[in-house]
Amino acid sequence: MVLATADPFLSSPLKVRYMLPEKPRELLNGLLAHLCHVLLEGDHAASHQRSCHPHTPAQSGLFTSFNQDVSNNCLVESDRLCHSHKAFQQRGLMSGSEYTFKVVQLFLSSPLIAQYVSFHIAAGHSQLYIRNFLSCARCVLRWWQSKPGGNHPSFVEGLEWLQTLGLQVADQLPRPSKDPKGLADAVKWMSAPRLVHLIHGDELQSQDQMQQLGVTVETSRDMHDAALAAMTFSHLPPVRLSCIRSLVVPAYTGPCLHPDCKEPSCEGNRLSITSESPLLMHIQLPHHKNARKWGKVVIEFDVPSDLAQLLHTYLGAPRKALLEHHLLIGDTCPYVFMDMHGRGFVAAAVLTLYWQKWLVSRGGVPMNPSMCRQVFVDERQSNSATAGPSNQGAAKVMGHSVKQWDKWYDMQYHPRLAQNAVDGMQSWRAAMLQSHPPAAPDLTLSSALHCGHVLVSDSEESRYQSCCSDSDIDIELD
């Protein structure tokens, strides 16, 4: 869409900047910004004909918007903030084009955002896609708040509306449930045994080719891919892809490459060699998704011997051959794994496409590498799980807790619990049938007289006559 392509705050433009050279990118941004400017002017003209009732998306009718006056106040305030070119330069935007401000101003128009959300709903896009856009819109508003005059109440109301809209999207468009069978039918799933056999076979093949053909660019790339696949699955509980992408080689001695790291002594996510003979390798991951939540606890462990040998072999002559092929001699690329151009997998999407292409070339399916975490948890939580690591320890290496297995990664959690309960009821029922029922209570009245009860007999029938101990009322029992 126009907004997602032209604005520097969204994740989508990264693809445009990566693919287009500098001059065409500026022309494209200018053209798209001009088109957005025309739409914005039309939105201003139409706003005078609308009532002041909140605007709702056309397709859904589910969402609320803050008042049109609030949206206009945001636009007026932003116009005042960026009136002069000098003020614009002080804002520190990435582009010097005046149209860029018009694009940023589009996020201040609640009707336009509502229409954009309605478009995605009508197109059947996922709630995650829409919520990512709304999250970006909140970032833009917070950016406006950081500028002089950004304390206008309209910005606060706009942030509250975007937050409410995101919650409504999550409530009205729940994520579709996934299961291994459905993913396998869609050719997006591989079982754990099949995936382990495929990765192990590729390890053996890459080593055989290295011995037979020697160190070439092709055999070095195969060794690299085998090491990358072995790090993703099979030897270790599936480590987060962000940790694999940011893993630096043992020879790297520079500062931490994590963009948000402020620790002067931090070495970053690192693969280190503890001992050459016997070969011992160690991985430490201070930067992972839950590092802040865990109190900066570092995920660290010794590398299994088979994986350590594979990594050690790759980090020698094969990696050097790849660097020489890409004209990146020495420590130019500090990361363990690199793309087809000799650069680190800085973008997650690049690693995903690379891994999928490799998996298909080895006879697999185009499965997302992050799906390896679901594959692993599915096997560990199944009723036929084999002996392996403890769930708590595996979850720590994966960078989360066992509770998150049930919530996010175990796609058969609910049906398996239900089926196990039904199966267990059959043994419970059999146990109930085999147990001896207690003897029925004897309801026959004792012949011993108490409380003055008297048995009265006739020639035709017998009847009991009873009375309460302290009452003259007689009750006849049939």
Side-chain angles (χ1 to χ4, degrees):
M1 293 299 296
V2 172
L3 292 179
T5 309
D7 191 77
F9 295 94
L10 290 175
S11 58
S12 303
L14 294 178
K15 298 180 181 179
V16 177
R17 289 193 173 90
Y18 183 78
M19 296 172 59
L20 296 177
E22 187 68 21
K23 196 64 177 178
R25 185 177 60 209
E26 292 179 358
L27 294 176
L28 178 62
N29 282 342
L31 176 62
L32 294 174
H34 178 70
L35 179 59
C36 292
H37 176 66
V38 173
L39 292 175
L40 184 61
E41 293 299 327
D43 180 62
H44 275 304
S47 64
H48 294 290
Q49 301 176 1
R50 298 193 188 102
S51 64
C52 292
H53 294 289
H55 178 86
T56 55
Q59 298 293 339
S60 62
L62 301 172
F63 310 114
T64 59
S65 168
F66 64 99
N67 193 285
Q68 179 65 36
D69 291 338
V70 175
S71 177
N72 290 336
N73 289 337
C74 286
L75 292 169
V76 171
E77 185 66 17
S78 65
D79 278 329
R80 186 187 66 79
L81 291 178
C82 58
H83 176 70
S84 65
H85 182 68
K86 181 179 179 181
F88 161 76
Q89 290 180 334
Q90 294 175 351
R91 297 296 180 276
L93 279 181
M94 298 174 64
S95 173
S97 171
E98 183 180 357
Y99 291 122
T100 304
F101 259 113
K102 293 300 182 182
V103 174
V104 175
Q105 284 181 286
L106 289 172
F107 287 91
L108 304 177
S109 173
S110 61
L112 196 57
I113 290 179
Q115 293 170 9
Y116 188 67
V117 171
S118 296
F119 163 76
H120 287 295
I121 294 175
H125 295 161
S126 66
Q127 60 129 307
L128 182 61
Y129 190 93
I130 300 174
R131 294 185 70 183
N132 285 341
F133 163 74
L134 295 175
S135 176
C136 172
R138 291 196 299 271
C139 290
V140 174
L141 281 187
R142 282 193 288 267
W143 178 85
W144 279 112
Q145 285 185 312
S146 67
K147 304 307 171 186
N151 57 350
H152 195 276
S154 300
F155 293 111
V156 178
E157 296 182 34
L159 284 172
E160 294 177 353
W161 171 70
L162 288 172
Q163 182 70 25
T164 302
L165 186 57
L167 296 176
Q168 290 174 323
V169 168
D171 181 64
Q172 300 294 336
L173 300 175
R175 292 185 179 183
S177 60
K178 298 179 180 179
D179 62 276
K181 184 179 182 304
L183 290 173
D185 294 340
V187 199
K188 294 182 179 179
W189 176 270
M190 293 179 65
S191 64
R194 183 185 174 191
L195 192 55
V196 170
H197 278 84
L198 187 148
I199 294 175
H200 179 66
D202 190 66
E203 293 178 31
L204 299 179
Q205 182 179 358
S206 63
Q207 294 172 358
D208 292 342
Q209 289 182 348
M210 185 70 66
Q211 293 177 357
Q212 296 176 6
L213 304 177
V215 179
T216 64
V217 176
E218 290 74 16
T219 58
S220 300
R221 177 58 62 177
D222 290 340
M223 182 66 69
H224 166 277
D225 295 346
L228 175 60
M231 276 289 297
T232 308
F233 197 72
S234 182
H235 291 276
L236 304 173
V239 182
R240 290 190 183 275
L241 296 180
S242 59
C243 297
I244 296 177
R245 291 189 293 110
S246 59
L247 198 67
V248 297
V249 296
Y252 178 72
T253 58
C256 177
L257 298 177
H258 193 275
D260 297 329
C261 183
K262 299 180 180 179
E263 299 292 336
S265 60
C266 180
E267 298 181 346
N269 293 344
R270 174 178 295 274
L271 172 66
S272 57
I273 299 178
T274 307
S275 171
E276 291 283 355
S277 181
L279 180 61
L280 296 177
M281 283 189 168
H282 188 78
I283 289 180
Q284 60 180 15
L285 305 172
H287 299 293
H288 53 92
K289 184 177 180 179
N290 289 321
R292 187 172 301 175
K293 185 183 298 184
W294 291 2
K296 298 184 179 180
V297 173
V298 179
I299 300 175
E300 55 181 337
F301 49 86
D302 293 330
V303 180
S305 57
D306 292 344
L307 179 58
Q309 187 61 52
L310 179 64
L311 290 171
H312 189 266
T313 303
Y314 156 68
L315 291 175
R319 185 173 185 274
K320 183 179 179 181
L322 291 178
L323 291 175
E324 291 177 351
H325 175 69
H326 299 297
L327 302 179
L328 297 175
I329 309 301
D331 295 333
T332 307
C333 180
Y335 299 104
V336 174
F337 302 107
M338 62 187 78
D339 61 13
M340 295 298 294
H341 302 284
R343 301 169 299 192
F345 293 102
V346 179
V350 177
L351 177 58
T352 297
L353 295 176
Y354 185 95
W355 203 88
Q356 287 178 331
K357 184 178 179 180
W358 168 85
L359 191 60
V360 172
S361 68
R362 298 304 189 270
V365 301
M367 185 180 73
N368 194 308
S370 62
M371 191 64 68
C372 291
R373 300 164 73 85
Q374 279 86 343
V375 172
F376 177 75
V377 172
D378 179 73
E379 193 281 331
R380 299 310 305 151
Q381 296 287 76
S382 66
N383 296 330
S384 58
T386 59
S390 66
N391 292 348
Q392 290 80 3
K396 290 299 180 182
V397 176
M398 297 170 68
H400 54 229
S401 64
V402 178
K403 291 182 178 179
Q404 289 178 290
W405 283 19
D406 302 337
K407 187 175 182 180
W408 299 109
Y409 295 100
D410 189 359
M411 294 185 292
Q412 298 190 82
Y413 175 73
H414 296 287
R416 184 177 59 253
L417 284 183
Q419 188 60 52
N420 290 344
V422 172
D423 295 340
M425 282 297 296
Q426 309 315 307
S427 58
W428 176 85
R429 178 176 177 273
M432 294 296 101
L433 293 176
Q434 291 177 0
S435 63
H436 298 286
D442 187 6
L443 300 179
T444 305
L445 294 179
S446 174
S447 59
L449 299 180
H450 60 281
C451 299
H453 291 163
V454 178
L455 179 63
V456 181
S457 300
D458 291 333
S459 58
E460 299 293 334
E461 61 180 0
S462 297
R463 62 189 179 93
Y464 288 100
Q465 186 176 13
S466 175
C467 65
C468 296
S469 58
D470 297 327
S471 175
D472 294 332
I473 303 175
D474 293 336
I475 300 176
E476 182 176 292
L477 301 178
D478 292 331

